[in-house]
Amino acid sequence: MNFSEQTPIIQYVNLLLDQAIEAHASDLHLEPFEQECAVRYRIDGVLYEKKSLPRALALPIISRIKLLANMDISEQRLPQDGRFHRSTSHGSVDFRIATLPTPWGESVVLRLLDRCYLFQDLPSLELSSSLQQELRNFLLQPHGLFVVTGPTGSGKTTTLYTCLQELNKEGKKLMSAEDPVEYEIEGMIQISVEEEIGLSFQRILRSCLRHDPDVIMVGEMRDAVTAQMALQASLTGHLVLTTLHTADTIGAVTRLMNMGLDPLMIAMTLRGVLAQRLVRKICILCNNAGCAHCHHTGYRGRRAIFEMLFMNDELRLLISQRASQDQLREKALELGMKTLCQEGARLLAEGITTEEELVSAGVLTY
């Protein structure tokens, strides 16, 4: 029998997975070095080293994980990707696995995707009551472009999936182009990008438009061609949701301009932009002192901070006139937009998070 299939290894891998789920980790890292294999969990955005294993155990443990994900255990020289799911007492957790060869063996990262935390309703985003109502009103629009922006790991995927859940009702056809499909949503047609066979965002989007959708989600507008197609789709009667990597809402507008897109088309199609960051919340049991509930960090869970820009005629006119980023921001603030910094200051005043967290997330700067 292969060592990776022996009961102790199976039991140990099960323990690692269950501990990661129990700790609400977003990622589990197995990193082999010369003398040991480090085991680290990312919890609330921070990476913690939980234990180290003898390096001799790395190969059988990683082989067991690769078997669970139907990966090639004999291939250790090339990166591989896979996935599997594990049932728990409160539901199902999906694991996405990525391997990478190193001098001491394969380094493995497992991304945990817990459906119980993702598939929720709009109130779960903890928007202010006014922003929640504005977002709900937008989702009732028959067409237009809605952009969620922020750095990697800022919660954009959770926000998009929550919006899709709100839209996924009888009488609407939802389709998506994703890289990759993170969660399968019942009743929605989801297509995963496969660049190696020519299945790009552009090709998927072009084909989606022939399938009579009401709502299209484009995982990310990475280039001008994809962005142009998304704008065109929203102009021809589709509601399009997508993401960009920019610092704030106004940055998303200028990024579209810098891609070479027609400002008049941007003004006509863009309905709103939501910028966000994630910050850790102060533990409610120990008030940041550190306890078993928060793994002695003083923090438990995370909270999103939002900046919402909704278009009106004044902003559309400025965009069509190629206004600068400063001019657009000045007008948005004049119209009542609350910035990430202002929302962060509100959470700080309410005792929800700390100044250090706001600085770390880039919400406050000195």
Side-chain angles (χ1 to χ4, degrees), residues 9 17 81 112 235 354:
I9 292 298
L17 300 179
D81 297 297
L112 283 72
L235 191 63
T354 63

Side-chain angles (χ1 to χ4, degrees), residues 121-136 159 162-163 274-276 303-308 343 346:
D121 55 12
L122 285 185
S124 70
L125 296 177
E126 298 184 284
L127 292 153
S128 66
S129 57
S130 59
L131 290 185
Q132 182 178 306
Q133 188 56 51
E134 286 181 319
L135 180 55
R136 181 169 275 116
T159 298
T162 301
C163 290
L274 180 68
Q276 63 182 83
R303 171 79 175 264
I305 298 175
F306 298 102
E307 176 182 295
M308 191 91 77
E343 286 297 292
R346 180 176 65 83

Side-chain angles (χ1 to χ4, degrees), residues 26-27 42 44-45 111 150-158 245 276-279 302-304 361:
S26 61
D27 302 87
R42 188 176 296 280
D44 294 334
R111 167 66 57 87
T152 299
S154 60
K156 297 187 298 295
T157 298
T158 298
H245 288 273
Q276 63 182 83
R277 298 288 191 280
L278 286 177
V279 293
R302 288 192 289 178
R303 171 79 175 264

Side-chain angles (χ1 to χ4, degrees), residues 23-318:
H24 300 299
S26 61
D27 302 87
L28 166 60
H29 295 243
L30 299 172
E31 301 167 336
F33 297 102
E34 184 176 9
Q35 301 295 333
E36 63 180 17
C37 179
V39 178
R40 304 200 286 176
Y41 293 160
R42 188 176 296 280
I43 302 171
D44 294 334
V46 179
L47 202 57
Y48 299 97
E49 185 158 344
K50 289 298 183 181
K51 62 190 77 176
S52 62
L53 308 171
R55 195 167 72 87
L57 289 178
L59 178 59
I61 287 172
I62 291 170
S63 294
R64 172 60 187 169
I65 291 170
K66 290 171 71 174
L67 281 173
L68 289 172
N70 293 316
M71 298 161 73
D72 184 356
I73 64 171
S74 66
E75 179 56 79
Q76 301 174 23
R77 302 164 301 167
L78 296 172
Q80 292 188 65
D81 297 297
R83 64 191 307 162
F84 65 91
H85 75 272
R86 184 171 179 80
S87 296
T88 69
S89 58
H90 66 276
S92 178
V93 177
D94 292 331
F95 287 84
R96 282 210 335 246
I97 301 92
T99 67
L100 192 67
T102 77
W104 307 110
E106 289 180 287
S107 178
V108 178
V109 176
L110 295 90
R111 167 66 57 87
L112 283 72
L113 303 165
D114 193 331
R115 294 173 181 268
C116 293
Y117 291 100
L118 189 69
F119 292 153
Q120 300 183 52
D121 55 12
L122 285 185
S124 70
L125 296 177
E126 298 184 284
L127 292 153
S128 66
S129 57
S130 59
L131 290 185
Q132 182 178 306
Q133 188 56 51
E134 286 181 319
L135 180 55
R136 181 169 275 116
N137 289 341
F138 166 77
L139 296 176
L140 293 174
Q141 300 297 311
H143 57 82
L145 178 68
F146 180 65
V147 179
V148 180
T149 189
T152 299
S154 60
K156 297 187 298 295
T157 298
T158 298
T159 298
L160 274 184
Y161 273 90
T162 301
C163 290
L164 290 170
Q165 284 290 99
E166 186 80 9
L167 291 163
N168 191 19
K169 297 172 181 175
E170 187 177 352
K172 287 186 180 291
K173 180 168 184 174
L174 279 64
M175 301 187 74
S176 73
E178 305 176 57
D179 186 18
V181 171
E182 296 207 23
Y183 286 98
E184 296 176 3
I185 299 179
E186 186 176 353
M188 179 174 171
I189 298 174
Q190 299 168 268
I191 304 99
S192 193
V193 169
E194 301 284 351
E195 292 283 359
E196 61 272 16
I197 61 171
L199 192 59
S200 62
F201 274 116
Q202 302 99 296
R203 189 166 182 179
I204 294 172
L205 185 51
R206 190 177 295 112
S207 296
C208 282
L209 292 173
R210 301 190 188 111
H211 284 253
D212 189 30
D214 297 289
V215 180
I216 302 173
M217 193 269 270
V218 181
E220 183 183 347
M221 292 198 295
R222 295 178 179 172
D223 54 68
V225 176
T226 304
Q228 178 68 39
M229 292 178 67
L231 263 65
Q232 189 64 42
S234 64
L235 191 63
T236 55
H238 305 87
L239 188 61
V240 180
L241 284 67
T242 189
T243 69
L244 279 173
H245 288 273
T246 62
D248 55 20
T249 55
I250 304 300
V253 178
T254 54
R255 172 66 62 83
L256 292 174
M257 291 183 181
N258 292 338
M259 283 181 171
L261 302 179
D262 181 6
L264 182 58
M265 180 174 278
I266 297 172
M268 291 171 62
T269 58
L270 187 62
R271 294 288 181 268
V273 183
L274 180 68
Q276 63 182 83
R277 298 288 191 280
L278 286 177
V279 293
R280 291 185 295 173
K281 297 190 293 186
I282 294 172
C283 177
I284 60 174
L285 295 187
C286 68
N287 197 28
N288 218 34
C291 65
H293 178 69
C294 63
H295 307 284
H296 302 283
T297 65
Y299 298 97
R300 176 74 175 190
R302 288 192 289 178
R303 171 79 175 264
I305 298 175
F306 298 102
E307 176 182 295
M308 191 91 77
L309 174 69
F310 281 99
M311 302 302 295
N312 68 0
D313 290 341
E314 294 176 81
L315 285 168
R316 291 191 183 96
L317 179 60
L318 286 175

